[in-house]
Amino acid sequence: MQVRLEKSWQNQLATQFDAPYFKELTDFVRQEYQQFTCFPPAKDIFNALDSTSFSDTRVVILGQDPYHGEGQAHGLSFSVAEGVSHPPSLINIFKELEVDTGKPYPKSGVLTPWAKQGVLLLNATLSVRAGQAGSHQKKGWEQFTDAIIASLSDNKTGVVFMLWGNYAKKKGKHIDRSKHLVLETGHPSPLSANRGLWFGNKHFSKANAYLKQQGGTQIDW
């Protein structure tokens, strides 16, 4: 597996690459990509870290698995490749964004512009077998992404962590809430949103208010 990381992440996570679990994870992922169709494309597995450096990270949006449909995932949580129809969760994200900030519903589902502004779009698991949600869970990815969250929490201040759904909330145990803002709500999936657990959370405006309070630049969502 090609570890393609921006230099500041390479430095932060160097000990992970030498750990026994990461060797086992690498072997597993390599075999999966050789034997099955998996997503995102291998070159995009670390796209979230490559698109948003450790030093630039100001907001973290934590997803669970990459999308497991053809052509959807490209390594950024909740984002889809250009020209791909918006999945239900992304539709609900954009609907909440529109109500919260007044920004018109976007045509493109590519969230790279967010990443370029310091929004780390991180999935807890960075790969998945086609059509099989959760198929690469409990193979080591969770330990790796826990290390990413802990590194941000320990070595930075004033980061906004958006934890959507119970799975993401559990990852919040690695965050020092005395020096970061943690925003929690239901998952944007229709199941959660239709139960009243997503809409009205105002996470986008709350994040910008906090960033402004910290003396930083707000995100152009």
Side-chain angles (χ1 to χ4, degrees):
M1 181 169 58
Q2 182 184 12
V3 180
R4 180 172 69 93
L5 291 185
E6 182 276 336
K7 187 175 180 180
S8 63
W9 280 118
Q10 193 80 42
N11 294 336
Q12 288 293 321
L13 301 172
T15 57
Q16 302 302 310
F17 302 131
D18 296 329
Y21 88 88
F22 197 82
K23 170 67 164 59
E24 294 176 5
L25 171 63
T26 299
D27 291 344
F28 166 77
V29 172
R30 183 181 293 114
Q31 186 173 11
E32 283 284 297
Y33 273 74
Q34 288 174 350
Q35 293 185 346
F36 306 99
T37 299
C38 295
F39 301 119
K43 66 180 179 61
D44 290 332
I45 289 176
F46 295 102
N47 192 21
L49 301 178
D50 198 48
S51 297
T52 309
S53 70
F54 172 84
S55 54
D56 287 344
T57 298
R58 300 186 290 141
V59 178
V60 179
I61 297 180
L62 186 63
Q64 188 166 340
D65 275 0
Y67 295 122
H68 52 80
E70 183 67 40
Q72 293 180 310
H74 65 120
L76 304 179
S77 64
F78 297 105
S79 181
V80 290
E82 193 66 61
V84 175
S85 298
H86 300 175
S89 291
L90 185 58
I91 290 173
N92 286 337
I93 289 170
F94 284 159
K95 285 181 177 178
E96 173 62 23
L97 176 64
E98 186 174 22
V99 172
D100 184 18
T101 68
K103 185 181 177 101
Y105 188 102
K107 294 180 180 179
S108 174
V110 178
L111 301 183
T112 302
W114 295 4
K116 295 302 182 184
Q117 296 178 75
V119 181
L120 180 65
L121 297 162
L122 181 68
N123 279 314
T125 303
L126 299 188
S127 59
V128 68
R129 193 185 297 181
Q132 298 185 33
S135 51
H136 287 186
Q137 291 179 4
K138 299 181 180 179
K139 300 296 183 181
W141 278 133
E142 292 88 348
Q143 186 172 345
F144 181 67
T145 52
D146 280 349
I148 293 171
I149 294 169
S151 178
L152 288 166
S153 176
D154 294 346
N155 299 303
K156 294 177 73 78
T157 58
V159 176
V160 181
F161 292 86
M162 296 184 181
L163 308 181
W164 298 343
N166 291 332
Y167 192 91
K169 291 174 186 177
K170 290 177 182 178
K171 303 280 278 188
K173 64 185 178 181
H174 302 284
I175 303 168
D176 183 348
R177 299 175 188 233
S178 69
K179 60 176 184 173
H180 302 286
L181 176 64
V182 178
L183 300 174
E184 299 183 350
T185 190
H187 195 274
S189 67
L191 179 63
S192 178
N194 292 340
R195 291 165 54 203
L197 301 176
W198 166 254
F199 292 114
N201 63 67
K202 299 187 181 300
H203 278 193
F204 303 103
S205 59
K206 288 177 180 177
N208 272 350
Y210 179 79
L211 293 173
K212 183 178 180 180
Q213 180 184 356
Q214 300 295 309
T217 304
Q218 299 183 77
I219 304 297
D220 180 9
W221 302 107

